[in-house]
Amino acid sequence: MSAILPLVRPDLRDFAGYKSARSESLRGDVWLNANESAWSNPADGEGRSRRYPDPQPPALRARLAELYGVAPAALLVGRGSDEAIDLLVRALCVAGQDAIVVTPPVFGMYAVCARLQGAPLVEVPLVDGVDGFSADLEAIREAALSQRAKLVFLCSPSNPAGSAIPLAGIAALAGALEGKAVVVVDEAYGEFADGPSATTLLAAHPNIAVLRTLSKAHALAAARIGVVIGNEDLITILQRCQAPYPVPTPCADLALAGLSDAGLAQTRERIALVRRERDRLLDALAQSPGVLRVYPSQGNYLLVRFDDAEGAFRALLAAGVVVRDQRAAPQLGDALRITVGSPHQNDRVIAALNAREQAA
């Protein structure tokens, strides 16, 4: 039996899922099997959008697999990494029985998907130390085992904390939870980090899954393209649970264009610029009056504590700058998250905060 199958909900282990018209391996030149229009919409010049898309567009799946260094069969393309989170929780967690472990303050979709599935939520808070926030992997292991968790979500780099988790720690946790839980490493901001991807651990640890997205570093947020990478048996199960036609043809075309050699070269240049600007913005904010602490970050954002977070938030808004208010999150009652923008945008952030202090 597969190492992953025992972790799947018992009622879904033999689940075949919905078989769409495009999932059948049929050939012909007159397609009358999906109740599609025989005519194109006038807005669709090439007429490609009148047909349902392939559930997993082969060219896009192959290009993403090449980008992430995995086999196409180990990767499922979906509606951003948000869909992957939801699929994992629904496929593995029996409602009211199988828990998920999260590490607040962290991305809220893990808890949302748990709530929708009726999966108990186990929180193991990040530890706020001298070097920034860090995941307590030993406490996570103990919580996962004692609370019968099926999924452990590790956001690395963490949103909003900005900290990354060493691969050795992820591997050790996966080893301790083998046969009991899947360790999901959310690398939405992985392109901005210093270390290698957790995909390098997949061969040795079948109970690791990795989430990636084109929304951040690749600047394709509106295309809604994300992937889950993992054990091929897990990917098969998740695809069976996925709603039909997850990747619209225009989105797949846009993603492929963005992942061309020229597109990737530009992406690498942008990533390098963001990393330089991240350092510059951190230094400038650390010297700004009213800033209590700026956390080091491996993402494209900075978590900042203020002596008057409300005043800072309002001052930025008055200057036309919108940042993320984190004050409702655990441990972050005085914090804002500021995305690293263009050099000009970052200058506006610095000027607005310095002007606030000078006015005071």
Side-chain angles (χ1 to χ4, degrees):
M1 179 182 289
S2 164
I4 287 296
L5 198 58
L7 299 179
V8 175
R9 280 172 41 187
D11 58 317
L12 293 183
R13 291 172 189 170
D14 296 322
F15 180 57
Y18 173 72
K19 296 296 184 183
S20 70
R22 289 295 171 268
S23 62
E24 303 292 341
S25 297
L26 303 173
R27 294 291 179 267
D29 61 331
V30 178
W31 289 83
L32 303 176
N33 66 332
N35 299 335
E36 300 156 326
S37 173
W39 301 273
S40 300
N41 186 288
D44 180 18
E46 297 183 4
R48 300 188 65 211
S49 293
R50 71 185 178 92
R51 297 290 189 198
Y52 286 110
D54 192 294
Q56 291 291 293
L60 178 58
R61 195 179 196 186
R63 186 59 168 164
L64 288 165
E66 181 183 5
L67 177 67
Y68 299 127
V70 299
L75 178 149
L76 182 71
V77 189
R79 304 166 178 89
S81 51
D82 294 332
E83 183 184 35
I85 295 167
D86 182 55
L87 288 172
L88 284 160
V89 175
R90 285 194 288 122
L92 272 66
C93 295
V94 175
Q97 174 179 309
D98 299 319
I100 77 166
V101 176
V102 298
T103 59
V106 76
F107 184 45
M109 277 303 296
Y110 314 136
V112 168
C113 293
R115 176 72 177 273
L116 292 173
Q117 179 61 17
L121 184 70
V122 179
E123 296 183 336
V124 181
L126 295 177
V127 178
D128 190 1
V130 294
D131 296 323
F133 282 96
S134 61
D136 186 342
L137 294 175
E138 179 60 24
I140 291 170
R141 182 190 67 82
E142 293 177 0
L145 291 173
S146 64
Q147 300 299 315
R148 299 179 59 185
K150 278 287 188 69
L151 287 166
V152 174
F153 285 97
L154 301 178
C155 193
S156 181
S158 177
N159 173 20
S163 54
I165 303 173
L167 290 191
I170 295 173
L173 179 64
L177 298 180
E178 186 172 353
K180 298 179 176 64
V182 172
V183 176
V184 183
V185 186
D186 188 343
E187 294 183 343
Y189 302 92
E191 289 88 350
F192 303 102
D194 294 334
S197 169
T199 55
T200 58
L201 304 175
L202 294 176
H205 299 281
N207 63 325
I208 288 179
V210 179
L211 306 181
R212 300 298 294 253
T213 180
L214 301 187
S215 296
K216 311 300 181 181
H218 295 275
L220 291 173
R224 307 305 303 131
I225 302 292
V227 301
V228 54
I229 305 166
N231 177 277
E232 292 185 12
D233 291 330
L234 176 63
I235 297 302
T236 298
I237 290 290
L238 296 179
Q239 186 170 2
R240 291 172 183 170
C241 297
Q242 190 175 40
Y245 312 119
V247 187
T249 298
C251 294
D253 292 345
L254 180 60
L256 272 172
L259 296 175
S260 66
D261 290 344
L264 290 177
Q266 291 185 21
T267 296
R268 288 190 290 270
E269 292 176 1
R270 286 196 305 267
I271 292 170
L273 175 60
V274 168
R275 287 167 60 93
R276 292 194 300 271
E277 282 294 298
R278 183 179 65 193
D279 293 341
R280 183 177 75 91
L281 186 59
L282 186 152
D283 291 341
L285 291 176
Q287 298 173 37
S288 178
V291 171
L292 300 178
R293 185 175 185 184
V294 186
Y295 286 84
S297 176
Q298 293 284 297
N300 67 334
Y301 49 87
L302 293 170
L303 183 66
V304 187
R305 293 191 187 273
F306 293 87
D307 60 1
D308 178 11
E310 175 68 17
F313 187 75
R314 294 299 169 188
L316 288 165
L317 273 182
V321 178
V322 183
V323 300
R324 190 62 176 259
D325 189 348
Q326 294 290 333
R327 286 175 290 167
Q331 305 186 66
L332 300 181
D334 57 358
L336 305 177
R337 190 196 69 194
I338 303 174
T339 301
V340 179
S342 68
H344 174 67
Q345 291 170 339
N346 299 331
D347 287 341
R348 287 181 60 180
V349 169
I350 296 165
L353 293 176
N354 287 341
R356 175 183 73 100
E357 297 301 327
Q358 291 168 6

